[in-house]
Structures are given as C-alpha cells and as structure tokens.
C-alpha cells in the first residue's frame, strides 16, 4: 500500500522498504540493476509536444467557454442600456450657448484689442 504522495511523513515506508530489501538482499545487485534498467527502458514517456498538445485541447476548450460567457454578459449589458441620443450638428449650432456671458466677454476682448 502506497502513501499519499502529498502528505509528509517522517517515518519510513515499511512496505516499500521490505520490497527493496528483498530485491537487493537476493545477493546479486547486478541482476537487480539490470532488471530495473530493462523495465525503465520499457516505460513510455510522452514527448513534450504530446504533453503540450494534451494541455492545448483543454486550454482551447476553456478559452472557448470563457469567450462565450463574456460575449453573453457583454451582450446583456449593452442590450439593457438605452441607446444614447446624440445631438446633430445643426442642433449644436442652433442651440444657445451654455454660458452666454462667456461669449460676450470673449467677443468684447477680441473687438477691444483691434
């Protein structure tokens, strides 16, 4: 039975220790080393590009879900807001100034300097 790899226990693993002692105490450590090396050669380690490809599928799926959710929420926010009424150019030109006193002061200063 193996321990939880995330938990730390300062005590040695008795099951693993016994298995290693039995394998090494057989008398021939060379044979043990040869068996371990032969088994290590059979282990298939995925290449870095295969690992990234597996991660990429999940990443693309997550990005798609996030983009769809963001589009939904932005669409709801813009649909709920009433459209802003923008004045036309003629409305701006015809409308009286917001501060009529300022226009008179500027006009008087321009005429007075000539």
């Amino acid at each position: 039975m193996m321990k939880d790899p995330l938990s730390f226990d300062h005590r040695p693993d008795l099951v693993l220790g016994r298995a290693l002692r039995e394998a090494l105490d057989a008398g021939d450590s060379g044979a043990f080393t040869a068996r371990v090396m032969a088994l290590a050669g059979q282990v298939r380690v995925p290449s870095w590009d295969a690992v990234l490809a597996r991660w990429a599928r999940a990443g693309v799926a997550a990005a798609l879900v996030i983009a769809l959710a963001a589009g939904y929420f932005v669409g709801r926010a813009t649909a709920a807001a009433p459209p802003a009424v923008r004045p036309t150019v003629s409305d701006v030109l015809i409308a009286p100034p917001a501060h009529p006193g300022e226009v008179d002061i500027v006009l008087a200063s321009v005429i007075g300097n000539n």
Side-chain angles (χ1 to χ4, degrees):
M1 179 172 110
M2 292 196 57
K3 295 179 185 177
D4 181 19
L6 298 178
S7 66
F8 176 76
D9 189 1
H10 67 282
R11 296 171 294 172
D13 190 339
L14 300 176
V15 175
L16 181 60
R18 187 177 336 113
L20 285 173
R21 262 188 247 89
E22 288 173 3
L24 291 172
D25 286 344
D28 188 13
S29 62
F32 173 75
T33 306
R35 281 195 319 261
V36 169
M37 295 305 290
L39 291 173
Q42 295 175 0
V43 175
R44 183 174 170 253
V45 178
S47 64
W48 63 270
D49 56 342
V51 172
L52 289 180
R54 188 173 63 241
W55 290 352
R57 284 186 220 109
V60 168
L64 182 63
V65 168
I66 290 171
L68 288 173
Y72 172 74
F73 288 121
V74 168
R76 280 191 57 177
T78 56
V85 178
R86 298 183 70 189
T88 63
V89 173
S90 60
D91 289 339
V92 172
L93 293 176
I94 295 173
H99 304 285
E102 293 175 2
V103 175
D104 293 338
I105 294 170
V106 171
L107 185 57
S109 67
V110 170
I111 291 173
N113 286 336
N114 285 334

